[in-house]
């Protein structure tokens, strides 16, 4: 803290530069905090707002039938009498209180251009707009002249201004406010009037109400827009218990005639800016699922943004969640309940403390109002007593006034009157005394006496005072409460931006792999790989069909799997690129198969050793360039081309050896695994030799058979087609040896389906 000043011989104050700058900065900081940026808990207003409201009331701009006046007139009075600052700052504060999209309960009724949600600062100059107080402002001003608040001098000491307004409701929560001071800030969201009053009454009736019980009445913030609040009860409880936190607010949309209509935006979000953000993504080709967007907002529909999807197959929710993550369709609202309390000090307060302190402020205000009225009633009864005495002795009073040079002391002595009573009688015109009637005086006395007794009982009883306060809260709520605008969604799915893969259009694609490991991709599924040109010494190996948004899985000769995005593969217009440019297989390995399918597609992995297993395509996916182990190979075994199973529960598996044995069994008998050697498919003689070429028997071909299909057996240039009835003799249990095929077809090199059904073999 700065040290106390010292003085030199001439009586001049002497301070070090450090102390002086520290003191000056602290004074400035406290001025900004207390007199500029933070609202007062009592009326929820900053000084400039309070002065604008008070100045308008002094100009006779009350709500109702009062005529509008130019805003420049109000700003001039505010600056000249109470707020010696810039006119633009005062006018902007006035505009905010008149904008229904900025204030939940506007304090000013404006006429003219006061801005729009798209551009809140597009309001006309103050010489063009007109204004008067809104009906809600009566809740702040109705009790101002009833001794309810303290007054202080204005900036030049020529006038008095209220230090707070006698708010009948906790305006600090109803309209909220934002402000940036020195070293602190506030972000108080608006709330629903009915909910806040219900919470106040609950706390008034039950002072020991818990935070959870309060939140049963006050559900959460209620913004001027109808956008949804994404917060769980636990999140809101944490915010209101600490006075700090944040929550998300998301736009409201629905589908109509194949289009997406956005009907509500988060608080203080511009529809024009949202459309600009979406248009930027469309220009950058990051939103291929949208073809057009329009702004159809008008007076009847303040927010109506139209998005036109490319087709009705677009997933609307996924698209809107992406836009929520990448545009202002979802906005984080900060909450910092920092305000000036009834003790005049700034602090971050929890909800319960704010309501409790405001109820104390309101109770003190009501008590001062009743006490002020009691004083007025008592004084009036005192004057009526003197007036009644004068009426009963009217002739003598007139005689004294006519004959005495100083009638006041004579009247006081003759009729035992006090100074105010004597002055009141002397100030009363003679013709008024003549018209007075004793019954009228006594009737007014009776009414005022009853009112005084009621006021004294109320002021003397906390319960009666609490009951009166509760009735006034309910009356204010009945006049101004409205339904909640911002729904609270505790379990809404989170916003998630599309990945680069998801943003690409899913186009049919065919991936071609050559024997030397060169790969390329062509659009469509009707490609003839044999018609493509290959490098010298190279030839067609296999192909895979899918969409451009799917990954391609490659299997090498060691049983390892690899993955590449399909859109990254070179075009089939050339001869492609070697896979080794993107992947790093083990030394000596070569690629033997390619797969494209949904991630949950069932895949059959097998080797010539007669072992195999079922897995999901996602089990083969990997982000590593070196791949991952998928199929373990026994010595001298080779990888067989993987097969896709469309109906694993009903399909059968046909397995043929190179010596002509065929075994058919239900595919579901083969276990599911994520990797490994697998389980035995067909029984083979024990391996005694080291190479597959020398092995007398191995698994040569596999084929998945849907129900009621014919099997074609390829043996060199010849083939044999077996009908479902002919296949019955080859059915058996997994791990059996199977039955011999007819003579001439025992050197099997391929199995396929003879029906027009989709080919499963790869």
């Amino acid at each position: 803290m700065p040290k106390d000043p010292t003085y030199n011989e001439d009586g001049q104050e002497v301070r070090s530069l450090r102390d002086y700058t520290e003191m000056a900065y602290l004074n400035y900081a406290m001025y900004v905090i207390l007199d500029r940026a933070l609202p007062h808990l009592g009326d929820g207003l900053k000084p400039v707002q309070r002065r604008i409201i008070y100045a308008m009331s002094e100009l006779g701009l009350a709500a109702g039938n009062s005529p509008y006046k130019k805003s420049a007139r109000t700003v001039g009075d505010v600056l000249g009498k109470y707020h010696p600052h810039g006119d633009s700052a005062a006018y902007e504060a006035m505009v905010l209180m008149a904008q229904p999209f900025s204030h939940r309960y506007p304090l000013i009724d404006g006429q003219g251009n006061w801005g729009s949600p798209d551009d809140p600062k597009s309001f006309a100059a103050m010489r063009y707009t007109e204004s008067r107080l809104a009906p809600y402002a009566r809740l702040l001003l109705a009790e101002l002249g009833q001794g309810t608040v303290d007054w202080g001098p204005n900036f030049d000491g020529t006038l008095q201004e209220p230090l707070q307004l006698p708010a009948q409701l906790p305006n600090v929560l109803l309209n909220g406010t934002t402000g940036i001071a020195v070293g602190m800030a506030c972000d108080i969201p608006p709330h629903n009037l009915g909910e806040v009053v219900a919470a106040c009454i609950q706390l008034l009736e039950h002072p020991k109400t818990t935070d959870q019980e309060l939140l049963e009445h006050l559900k959460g913030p209620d913004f001027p827009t109808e956008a949804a609040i994404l917060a769980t009860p636990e999140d809101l409880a944490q915010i209101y218990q600490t006075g700090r936190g944040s929550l998300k607010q998301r736009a409201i949309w629905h589908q109509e005639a194949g289009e997406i209509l956005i009907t509500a935006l988060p608080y203080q979000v511009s529809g024009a800016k949202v459309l600009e953000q979406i248009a930027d993504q469309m220009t950058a080709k990051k939103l291929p699922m949208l073809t057009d967007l329009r702004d159809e907002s008008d007076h009847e529909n303040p927010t109506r943004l139209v998005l036109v999807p490319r087709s009705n197959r677009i997933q609307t929710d996924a698209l809107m969640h992406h836009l929520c993550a990448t545009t202002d369709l979802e906005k984080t609202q900060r909450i910092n309940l920092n305000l000036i309390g009834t003790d005049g000090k700034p602090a971050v307060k929890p909800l319960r403390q704010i309501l409790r302190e405001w109820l104390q402020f309101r109770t003190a205000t009501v008590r001062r109002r009743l006490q002020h009225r009691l004083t007025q009633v008592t004084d009036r009864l005192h004057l009526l007593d003197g007036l009644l005495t004068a009426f009963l002795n009217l002739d003598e009073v007139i005689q004294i006034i006519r004959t005495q040079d100083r009638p006041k002391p004579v009247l006081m002595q003759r009729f035992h009157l006090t100074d105010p009573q004597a002055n009141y009688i002397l100030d009363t015109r003679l013709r008024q005394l003549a018209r007075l009637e004793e019954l009228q005086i006594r009737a007014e006395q009776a009414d005022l006496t009853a009112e005084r007794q009621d006021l004294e009982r109320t002021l003397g009883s906390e319960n009666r005072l609490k009951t009166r306060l509760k009735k006034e809260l309910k009356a204010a709520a009945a006049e101004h409460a409205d339904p909640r605008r911002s729904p609270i969604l505790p379990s809404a799915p989170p916003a998630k931006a599309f990945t680069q893969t998801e943003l690409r259009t899913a186009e049919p694609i065919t991936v071609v792999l050559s024997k030397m490991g060169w790969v390329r991709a062509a659009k469509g599924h009707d490609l003839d790989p044999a018609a493509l040109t290959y490098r010298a010494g190279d030839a067609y190996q296999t192909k895979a069909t899918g969409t451009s948004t799917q990954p391609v899985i490659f299997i090498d000769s060691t049983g390892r799997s690899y993955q590449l995005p399909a859109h990254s593969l070179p075009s089939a217009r050339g001869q492609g690129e070697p896979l080794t440019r993107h992947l790093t297989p083990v030394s000596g390995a070569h690629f033997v198969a390619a797969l494209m399918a949904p991630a949950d597609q069932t895949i059959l992995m097998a080797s010539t050793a007669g072992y195999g297993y079922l897995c999901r395509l996602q089990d083969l996916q990997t982000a590593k360039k070196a791949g991952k182990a998928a199929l373990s190979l026994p010595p001298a075994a080779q990888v067989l081309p993987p097969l896709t199973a469309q109906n694993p529960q009903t399909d059968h598996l046909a397995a043929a050896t190179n010596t002509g044995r065929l075994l058919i069994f239900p595919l579901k008998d083969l276990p599911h695994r994520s990797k490994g050697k697998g389980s035995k498919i067909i029984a083979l003689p024990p391996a005694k030799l080291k190479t597959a070429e020398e092995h007398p028997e191995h698994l040569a071909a596999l084929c998945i058979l849907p129900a009621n299909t014919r099997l074609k057996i390829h043996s060199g240039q010849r083939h044999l087609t077996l009908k479902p009835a002919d296949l019955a003799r080859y059915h058996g249990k997994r791990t059996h040896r199977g039955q011999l095929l007819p003579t001439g077809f025992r050197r099997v090199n391929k199995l396929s389906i003879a029906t027009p059904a989709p080919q499963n073999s790869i």
Side-chain angles (χ1 to χ4, degrees), residues 72-94:
R73 173 74 182 277
T74 299
V75 173
D77 263 36
V78 171
L79 301 185
K81 294 180 179 179
Y82 310 110
H83 198 71
H85 297 279
D87 58 343
S88 60
Y91 183 49
E92 285 191 22
M94 184 177 176

Side-chain angles (χ1 to χ4, degrees), residues 46-230:
K46 301 176 184 179
V48 64
Q49 296 172 321
R50 186 180 303 116
R51 289 163 179 166
I52 291 171
I53 298 299
Y54 176 64
M56 293 183 72
S57 69
E58 290 295 289
L59 285 171
L61 301 179
N65 297 325
S66 299
Y68 293 91
K69 285 187 179 180
K70 287 291 184 181
S71 301
R73 173 74 182 277
T74 299
V75 173
D77 263 36
V78 171
L79 301 185
K81 294 180 179 179
Y82 310 110
H83 198 71
H85 297 279
D87 58 343
S88 60
Y91 183 49
E92 285 191 22
M94 184 177 176
V95 168
L96 285 176
M97 292 190 288
Q99 292 177 336
F101 49 85
S102 295
H103 264 49
R104 181 64 174 82
Y105 300 96
L107 292 162
I108 294 176
D109 177 12
Q111 197 169 245
N113 177 14
W114 290 83
S116 66
D118 282 343
D119 188 4
K121 292 186 178 290
S122 62
F123 50 85
M126 56 183 164
R127 61 182 177 273
Y128 299 120
T129 61
E130 298 179 341
S131 58
R132 65 183 179 188
L133 291 172
Y136 175 81
R138 284 197 291 261
L139 296 175
L140 302 176
L141 296 166
E143 302 172 357
L144 187 58
Q146 302 178 23
T148 51
V149 294
D150 295 328
W151 295 70
N154 67 339
F155 64 90
D156 60 1
T158 59
L159 295 171
Q160 293 285 308
E161 63 175 321
L163 302 182
Q164 288 92 36
L165 296 182
Q168 298 179 35
L169 291 176
N171 182 62
V172 70
L173 289 177
L174 299 182
N175 273 320
T177 190
T178 61
I180 300 176
V182 179
M184 60 179 62
C186 74
D187 291 283
I188 304 175
H191 294 77
N192 183 269
L193 191 149
E195 293 181 4
V196 171
V197 170
C200 288
I201 293 175
Q202 172 70 20
L203 193 59
L204 193 63
E205 293 179 340
H206 307 283
K208 295 184 179 179
T209 296
T210 64
D211 293 331
Q212 188 62 37
E213 291 171 338
L214 276 181
L215 292 182
E216 292 178 2
H217 298 279
L218 199 157
K219 307 297 183 183
D222 187 22
F223 296 95
T225 70
E226 297 177 356
I229 295 172
L230 310 183

Side-chain angles (χ1 to χ4, degrees), residues 604 606-611 638-643 653-665 681-682 684 697-705 711-715 741 745-752 759 761-762:
L604 170 64
S607 68
T608 57
Y611 291 88
Q638 297 179 2
V639 177
L640 288 174
L643 303 179
L653 178 63
T657 66
N658 62 326
T659 59
R661 289 190 173 273
L662 178 65
L663 175 65
I664 302 175
F665 62 87
I681 296 175
I682 188 171
L684 297 174
E697 188 173 358
H698 60 267
L699 183 59
L702 294 170
C703 183
I704 295 178
L705 293 174
L711 177 65
K712 180 180 287 188
I713 301 168
H714 299 261
S715 180
L741 289 167
F745 297 96
R746 293 182 179 177
R747 297 185 62 84
V748 179
N749 53 22
K750 182 180 178 182
L751 298 177
S752 64
Q759 181 72 3
S761 180
I762 297 178

